[in-house]
Amino acid sequence: MTEILFPALAIGAVGLVLGMLLAVAAKAFHVEVDERIEQISACLSGANCGGCGYAGCSAYAAAIVNDSAPINACAAGGQAAVDNIAAIMGVEATAMEPVRAVVRCDGVITKANDRYDYYGIADCVSASKLQGGGHKACNFGCLGYGSCITACSEGGISIVDGVATIDGNSCIGCGACEKICPKGIIELVPKRHHIYVKCSSCDKAPAMRQKCSAGCIGCRLCEKACPAGAVTVNDNHASIDYSKCTGCGLCAEKCPKHIIVNENASAVIEETA
C-alpha cells in the first residue's frame, strides 16, 4: 500500500507547488489590457485585410488605443466604424468617403503585345522581377497573374482576357490589391464617382501604339473637354482629380481611345439595348 501511496503523494505535492508557482508568475507578469481595444475590434469589419496598414483588426485596434493611430483607416468598416471608434475614444469623428479599387489598364490579350512568352509562377510580383518587368511590351500594363486576387479578402477580383477586373459591388476599399500590385495600376477612387481612366502608361504616343492599341495617346481632348478642370494629362496619360470632377462624362465622350470609362453611361446603354 505504501508503495503506491507515497509516489502519489509526491506527485500531488509537486503538482501543488508547480500550480502555486504558475499562479504567482501569472500575477507577477500580468499585463492589463485596455478594454477599449476589444470594443474597437468589435466595431471593425473583421476582414483582417490589412488595408489599414496593420496585421489585422486586433492589431489596428491596439494601435488606436496605444499609439494614437488614426481612427479612419478601416475602409471596410466605413463611416459607421469611424463614428463608433470616435465614441469609444472620446474624440471627434472624422469624415470618411467610401472608396473602391479600379484597374488602370485596358491592355487585354487582343490589344496588348508581348515581348516574350512567360512560363513560370502564376504570380505578378514574381513575374515583374524578370527582364523588362514582365512579358508585356508595355511596362505599365497588367501582367494578369492574379496577385491581387490572392490579396482580396472578398473574392471580388478576377482575370478577364489577361487583365484584372474588380467587382465594384464586392470591393470594400481596403486597398490590399493596390498595395500588392507590382505595376501600381490599381487605384482607390471615391465610390460615388463612376468615371476613371484605364491606362497608366507613361510612354509617348508613337511608342504606345507599338505596344498596346488600347493605351492613352496623350491627345488632351479629355483635358480640353472637362469644364471643371478635373482632367489633366501628365506623363503622357490622363488623370482625374476627383475633388473637382462633377461626373459630367464629357471626358469619356471625347476620348478617341475609349480608355476613360463612364460606368453610368455604360449602364444606360445596356438598359436601352
Side-chain angles (χ1 to χ4, degrees):
M1 183 70 177
T2 56
E3 294 177 354
I4 298 175
L5 181 61
F6 287 123
L9 291 173
I11 292 173
V14 170
L16 179 62
V17 172
L18 291 176
M20 292 175 64
L21 289 175
L22 288 173
V24 172
K27 188 172 183 179
F29 296 103
H30 174 68
V31 178
E32 290 290 340
V33 178
D34 195 317
E35 63 180 11
R36 293 177 298 175
I37 295 177
E38 186 174 345
Q39 293 173 355
I40 291 173
S41 293
C43 297
L44 301 176
S45 68
N48 291 310
C49 58
C52 58
Y54 296 90
C57 295
S58 296
Y60 173 46
I64 292 174
V65 174
N66 300 325
D67 302 320
S68 300
I71 65 172
N72 62 347
C74 181
Q79 190 63 46
V82 175
D83 294 340
N84 290 330
I85 295 171
I88 294 170
M89 296 298 294
V91 298
E92 185 179 352
T94 52
M96 182 178 188
E97 182 169 26
V99 295
R100 62 176 179 129
V102 297
V103 180
R104 295 198 58 182
C105 177
D106 195 30
V108 295
I109 296 173
T110 56
K111 297 178 180 179
N113 298 325
D114 294 338
R115 58 164 60 94
Y116 55 78
D117 292 329
Y118 173 71
Y119 301 98
I121 301 173
D123 176 73
C124 298
V125 177
S126 300
S128 68
K129 296 177 181 178
L130 298 177
Q131 181 181 4
H135 71 281
K136 278 194 171 179
C138 177
N139 293 332
F140 307 92
C142 176
L143 294 175
Y145 295 117
S147 293
C148 51
I149 292 178
T150 304
C152 180
S153 62
E154 303 303 304
I157 305 178
S158 57
I159 302 297
V160 179
D161 293 332
V163 173
T165 301
I166 300 176
D167 179 2
N169 294 322
S170 300
C171 181
I172 58 176
C174 67
C177 56
E178 180 190 38
K179 289 182 175 67
I180 201 170
C181 177
K183 295 296 184 177
I185 60 168
I186 298 181
E187 178 185 12
L188 293 179
V189 303
K191 266 194 173 181
R192 62 187 175 88
H193 286 281
H194 298 277
I195 301 174
Y196 64 96
V197 183
K198 295 188 72 174
C199 183
S200 300
S201 174
C202 294
D203 288 327
K204 293 183 179 180
M208 168 52 62
R209 289 191 178 96
Q210 294 179 2
K211 298 176 181 180
C212 179
S213 63
C216 178
I217 56 176
C219 65
R220 297 185 182 274
L221 290 177
C222 54
E223 185 178 271
K224 295 173 182 176
C226 180
V231 185
T232 55
V233 175
N234 297 301
D235 295 326
N236 301 307
H237 66 264
S239 297
I240 299 175
D241 181 349
Y242 290 101
S243 66
K244 298 178 181 179
C245 180
T246 61
C248 69
L250 288 175
C251 56
E253 292 178 15
K254 293 295 183 179
C255 178
K257 303 297 291 184
H258 306 293
I259 50 95
I260 300 181
V261 178
N262 182 354
E263 292 175 332
N264 280 346
S266 299
V268 171
I269 291 172
E270 289 178 4
E271 290 177 4
T272 303

